Amino acid sequence: MLFETQYPAWLLPVFLVLARVAAWILYKKNIRNRLFPPAVRLILAFIRITVIGIIGLLLISPWIRARSEKIRKPIIILAEDHSHSIVNNNDSVSVVARVQSLTKQITDQLQGSFQVDHWLFGDSVREGVSDDFSDSKTDFEALFNNLRLDYTDKPVQSLFLISDGNVNSGLDPVAAATDLPFTVNVIGIGDTLPHPDLEIREVLYNRWIHTPGKFKIRVYPFQKGWGSDTAELQVWLNNHLVRRLSLDQNPDSWRPWYDFTLKADRPGEYPVEVRIQSSAKERNLSNNTRFFTVRATGDEGEVLCLFTSVNPDVGAIQQALQGVSGLSFHAVNIDDYQQDTLNPGLIILHGLPDIGHPMQEWFDKWAKENKPVWWIITPATDIKSVNKRQSAVYLTRKTDQAEEMQPVFNPRFSLFTLPGDFAGHMKAWPPLAGPVMSYRSASSSEVFSFQKILNVTLEDPLILLGRSNGVHQGFVFGEGIWRWRIYEYLAHEDHFYFDQWVRQVVQYLMIDEHRDRFLVHFPAVVSEGDNFHATAMLYNSNLEPVNEPDVSLVIRDDKGRSAKYQFGREANHYLLDFSGYEQGVYRYRAETVLGRETFSRKGLFRVRTIHAEDLNRIADIALLKRLAVSKEGRFVYGFNENEVKNMLHDIKPEASSKFVAYKWSELISRGWILWLLAGLLALEWFVRRWYGTR
């Protein structure tokens, strides 16, 4: 038992002294009370001291912690997928009824031996049971992260999942569940019958391009059991149909992707929509369209690659950038470089700086001009000089030896997008040779890929992108990327994945976000009814972010109606939240005034009725089975009542555990203390009355 007080504990001895003095005055000093026998006076004095002492103890507000041992049942966690895809089928009523029946069946059958906790996951993770299945996404990673935190040091025996497996947010469930300390049993629910379907599975494009010039997009159409009905791909640019392609009536002869070349003839934003259409009826049309915007910067770019000796890495980068409109590539030996002949938008340093080429004057000039740098670190690179010239990462060389490091793509990378199966391609690429180092990256840096050494994946970066004093920086901590390009051709007869990686890295590094000094970002596509927000950045003439001036915003819909807003301030930028927008195309114009300068930015975004949950309406039973097997659990299909019953019957509780519980309470809240006071006062009154006094 632990005892604490709200007021200083030294007051209690003071109250006891006062009680002793009061008792002495009453029963020793007072002549009237000398009529009591000595023993009675002693008892009455003790009662008076005790009463005053207890009152003094209550006045200092004591709290008492009581310790007790309790028996705790093993815990069963029942988590239900609350997303819209559960009921997104022709027989939604029976699905809802079955999920509710499963919840009741699991609870009734297990709650006698287990503590059954109910959770929902979708847009958020919360306690409760399913009702309307209205959430717009399915995120297993968020669920597992919440359970890890909430059930630390609790006797969880198993997790029961009810889901259709249509994941559209977060990590792959199998990867996300790796560290869960309990088994996972999965009950699959939803529509498992495939229906003929056309789909735009993916569109690859560069969000930023140079003008004037052409740009390419790559479209990945997909079909399920479509048969011989005709289908057509359409590409719309600025709401005009600019490309169309009839697909073969035999879907088996479709190519995996189709490339289209579009033209940007002026700076600005270009809305692009890709559609796949057919005259035949289709049950799910929500995945037949992809919409995105491409921004043309309005200038040409130069890439300067400096090296100490001829290296095939330089040639691989140059070949990857061939055909990029508005971009010129210059590969120059460091000993032949004349600084005034070029004005590059990006500098690539292969193995530089080194001991023989400190490049101090050039670095000073590039820093003043805010030039981004792509560092390809080799064993010859002077690491101390690299640390001196940027702040995106701090490197410490451990040994002078080189190490072979294989790339492992970081699934959380968010600075730009690559094909959905890029991680699988990169996983097979040959290792790079680089120095053995320790890494300490800035919070603004993102790891593109990790190092894998001797089949062990480390948290150290192999490829890193970030900022140094507001300027983009890129790092590859090894040489030999030319092998990646050769491997892609030998394995797939195509350089596409390597070239796309190089182009995306160069594009990210070359985009000078400070050039305009006023940036506004809206999501390109928003689902109808979803909440979303826009951000804005404003820079002064020293390229420092400021948000003192007001930023006004006007949004117009495709019917000519407009609404006016003003951005709120958040740290060093601007933020504005939106909700309740209906389907349509909306154009915006943001304006602000800084000193005597006026800045404006135009753009558009589209609100669609499509939700991520609508893109795939077939339950992913294979994924759910993999999840159950990976966590040593069982999978059953929810509509098979016998299998569900047998699975629940086989769940036997592990031994109940004892745990120590502590409870804090105020002493005055305990009823016996008041009864004790009343009893002592009544006893004193009775004795005094017995001897004829009051």
Side-chain angles (χ1 to χ4, degrees):
M1 180 177 291
L2 187 63
F3 181 88
E4 290 188 1
T5 61
Q6 185 174 350
Y7 298 100
W10 56 263
L11 290 174
L12 182 59
V14 174
F15 283 120
L16 293 176
V17 170
L18 293 176
R20 177 70 179 86
V21 171
W24 179 79
I25 293 174
L26 184 62
Y27 293 107
K28 183 71 174 177
K29 191 74 174 172
N30 193 326
I31 297 176
R32 291 179 57 195
N33 292 330
R34 292 181 182 179
L35 299 175
F36 296 120
V40 173
R41 277 189 292 161
L42 184 62
I43 293 173
L44 292 175
F46 175 77
I47 293 175
R48 183 58 60 96
I49 292 173
T50 303
V51 169
I52 296 176
I54 292 176
I55 294 174
L57 178 63
L58 295 178
L59 288 175
I60 64 174
S61 299
W63 286 77
I64 298 175
R65 189 183 74 170
R67 180 182 184 274
S68 62
E69 288 189 355
K70 296 184 178 181
I71 303 297
R72 180 162 49 188
K73 294 180 181 180
I75 298 174
I76 292 292
I77 304 171
L78 176 56
E80 299 175 56
D81 185 344
H82 198 249
S83 64
H84 181 61
S85 63
I86 295 289
V87 294
N88 200 0
N89 54 68
N90 292 332
D91 198 13
S92 59
V93 175
S94 65
V95 172
V96 172
R98 182 54 184 155
V99 172
Q100 294 173 344
S101 173
L102 283 170
T103 302
K104 186 177 185 303
Q105 180 181 2
I106 294 172
T107 304
D108 292 345
Q109 192 163 337
L110 297 182
Q111 66 181 356
S113 303
F114 300 90
Q115 173 186 323
V116 181
D117 294 349
H118 295 265
W119 289 81
L120 299 176
F121 66 102
D123 292 335
S124 63
V125 180
R126 66 272 192 196
E127 294 184 80
V129 294
S130 58
D131 44 29
D132 58 357
F133 299 95
S134 59
D135 288 7
S136 60
K137 68 178 182 180
T138 304
D139 190 342
F140 281 80
E141 181 187 11
L143 171 67
F144 296 154
N145 289 340
N146 273 268
L147 296 183
R148 285 191 191 94
L149 294 175
D150 285 6
Y151 289 92
T152 302
D153 298 327
K154 293 182 180 179
V156 178
Q157 181 164 327
S158 183
L159 165 65
F160 279 74
L161 272 173
I162 301 177
S163 176
D164 61 0
N166 283 332
V167 181
N168 48 53
S169 183
L171 286 177
D172 176 82
V174 177
T178 301
D179 297 329
L180 280 181
F182 38 78
T183 61
V184 177
N185 296 292
V186 182
I187 301 176
I189 206 77
D191 191 355
T192 59
L193 296 177
H195 301 274
D197 188 35
L198 294 176
E199 176 185 355
I200 299 294
R201 175 151 291 185
E202 191 171 20
V203 179
L204 301 181
Y205 62 96
N206 290 328
R207 291 186 296 120
W208 299 74
I209 62 173
H210 300 277
T211 53
K214 299 178 179 179
F215 63 97
K216 289 185 178 181
I217 64 172
R218 175 167 288 190
V219 181
Y220 289 77
F222 186 75
Q223 59 81 28
K224 298 177 184 176
W226 187 247
S228 59
D229 292 315
T230 59
E232 181 181 70
L233 281 177
Q234 297 180 354
V235 180
W236 294 70
L237 180 66
N238 280 329
N239 294 323
H240 293 90
L241 179 61
V242 294
R243 298 286 186 274
R244 62 195 313 166
L245 175 67
S246 295
L247 299 175
D248 197 295
Q249 288 187 324
N250 179 15
D252 294 335
S253 64
W254 289 9
R255 291 165 49 192
W257 68 80
Y258 295 90
D259 291 332
F260 296 92
T261 301
L262 309 178
K263 185 178 181 180
D265 52 10
R266 67 183 188 283
E269 291 191 344
Y270 289 80
V272 182
E273 185 174 11
V274 179
R275 305 174 184 172
I276 185 168
Q277 294 184 337
S278 174
S279 58
K281 290 184 178 181
E282 186 179 356
R283 180 185 173 199
N284 182 17
L285 296 175
S286 59
N287 56 5
N288 289 31
T289 305
R290 288 295 179 99
F291 177 82
F292 56 93
T293 58
V294 174
R295 183 180 176 189
T297 60
D299 60 357
E300 295 189 358
E302 290 185 341
V303 177
L304 170 64
C305 182
L306 297 176
F307 55 88
T308 55
S309 59
V310 177
N311 190 288
D313 285 351
V314 178
I317 295 174
Q318 183 173 11
Q319 292 171 355
L321 296 177
Q322 283 182 353
V324 177
S325 178
L327 192 68
S328 58
F329 184 88
H330 305 276
V332 182
N333 189 297
I334 187 64
D335 295 323
D336 300 329
Y337 176 54
Q338 300 295 325
Q339 188 164 282
D340 296 332
T341 59
L342 297 172
N343 183 28
L346 171 65
I347 295 105
I348 302 177
L349 299 178
H350 191 283
L352 290 170
D354 59 14
I355 300 300
H357 305 89
M359 305 170 61
Q360 182 172 343
E361 294 183 4
W362 297 343
F363 278 120
D364 292 341
K365 184 175 186 297
W366 293 337
K368 292 179 181 179
E369 298 173 350
N370 294 316
K371 299 291 187 184
V373 179
W374 186 359
W375 312 77
I376 300 179
I377 307 297
T378 71
T381 303
D382 182 3
I383 301 302
K384 292 183 179 180
S385 181
V386 174
N387 291 333
K388 184 179 179 181
R389 296 301 174 179
Q390 54 78 38
S391 59
V393 63
Y394 186 83
L395 307 172
T396 304
R397 190 190 290 267
K398 294 182 178 179
T399 69
D400 293 331
Q401 297 179 345
E403 183 73 74
E404 288 194 341
M405 300 169 289
Q406 198 165 1
V408 177
F409 180 69
N410 176 17
R412 297 181 182 274
F413 181 78
S414 62
L415 295 179
F416 52 78
T417 58
L418 284 162
D421 55 348
F422 177 83
H425 281 251
M426 187 175 225
K427 184 178 180 181
W429 288 355
L432 303 183
V436 180
M437 297 183 293
S438 62
Y439 308 81
R440 189 168 71 248
S441 58
S443 58
S444 59
S445 300
E446 277 201 36
V447 176
F448 180 87
S449 69
F450 297 102
Q451 298 178 11
K452 184 177 182 181
I453 300 177
L454 298 177
N455 291 324
V456 177
T457 301
L458 309 177
E459 294 186 358
D460 295 335
L462 182 60
I463 302 173
L464 183 76
L465 297 172
R467 295 174 181 269
S468 176
N469 298 321
V471 180
H472 290 162
Q473 305 284 320
F475 301 86
V476 177
F477 299 108
E479 59 180 341
I481 61 175
W482 63 274
R483 297 186 182 92
W484 294 355
R485 195 168 195 270
I486 290 179
Y487 176 86
E488 276 296 299
Y489 185 80
L490 294 176
H492 307 287
E493 298 183 355
D494 194 315
H495 300 119
F496 177 76
Y497 284 83
F498 176 85
D499 292 353
Q500 191 72 7
W501 167 69
V502 172
R503 292 177 182 183
Q504 290 283 49
V505 170
V506 169
Q507 171 187 285
Y508 167 78
L509 295 175
M510 288 190 69
I511 295 303
D512 183 4
E513 295 176 341
H514 292 159
R515 177 183 53 227
D516 297 321
R517 291 176 52 196
F518 182 50
L519 302 169
V520 177
H521 174 72
F522 273 79
V525 181
V526 179
S527 294
E528 187 176 30
D530 283 359
N531 298 331
F532 64 100
H533 66 265
T535 58
M537 290 290 295
L538 178 64
Y539 298 89
N540 61 21
S541 57
N542 292 327
L543 301 182
E544 299 168 330
V546 294
N547 66 352
E548 289 81 10
D550 292 337
V551 175
S552 61
L553 178 72
V554 177
I555 298 179
R556 288 184 173 84
D557 63 15
D558 45 13
K559 297 179 181 178
R561 297 173 298 186
S562 63
K564 296 182 179 180
Y565 302 89
Q566 183 168 307
F567 275 90
R569 294 171 174 83
E570 186 79 17
N572 61 355
H573 63 280
Y574 299 88
L575 182 69
L576 186 57
D577 294 318
F578 299 92
S579 63
Y581 269 68
E582 298 177 350
Q583 180 182 7
V585 177
Y586 296 84
R587 300 181 183 274
Y588 64 85
R589 179 183 178 88
E591 291 186 343
T592 188
V593 177
L594 179 61
R596 297 182 178 180
E597 297 178 282
T598 300
F599 300 91
S600 65
R601 174 67 64 194
K602 296 180 181 179
L604 60 84
F605 63 94
R606 175 169 292 191
V607 178
R608 305 294 301 273
T609 56
I610 297 175
H611 294 269
E613 292 291 313
D614 295 328
L615 296 178
N616 184 12
R617 302 189 179 188
I618 306 301
D620 193 343
I621 298 301
L623 172 64
L624 298 177
K625 289 181 177 179
R626 286 196 295 112
L627 174 60
V629 170
S630 70
K631 297 306 296 180
E632 300 180 353
R634 291 175 59 180
F635 171 85
V636 297
Y637 187 54
F639 283 95
N640 191 324
E641 295 186 12
N642 289 331
E643 285 192 4
V644 174
K645 185 177 181 180
N646 292 336
M647 180 177 70
L648 296 177
H649 182 268
D650 293 339
I651 300 295
K652 303 299 181 184
E654 298 173 353
S656 299
S657 59
K658 290 184 178 180
F659 72 100
V660 177
Y662 295 95
K663 182 180 180 181
W664 285 93
S665 62
E666 283 189 286
L667 182 60
I668 197 172
S669 66
R670 303 193 175 197
W672 61 265
I673 196 73
L674 298 178
W675 285 107
L676 177 62
L677 280 173
L680 291 173
L681 291 172
L683 178 61
E684 184 183 13
W685 176 84
F686 176 78
V687 172
R688 292 172 66 88
R689 292 289 293 177
W690 180 267
Y691 285 96
T693 64
R694 295 182 180 178

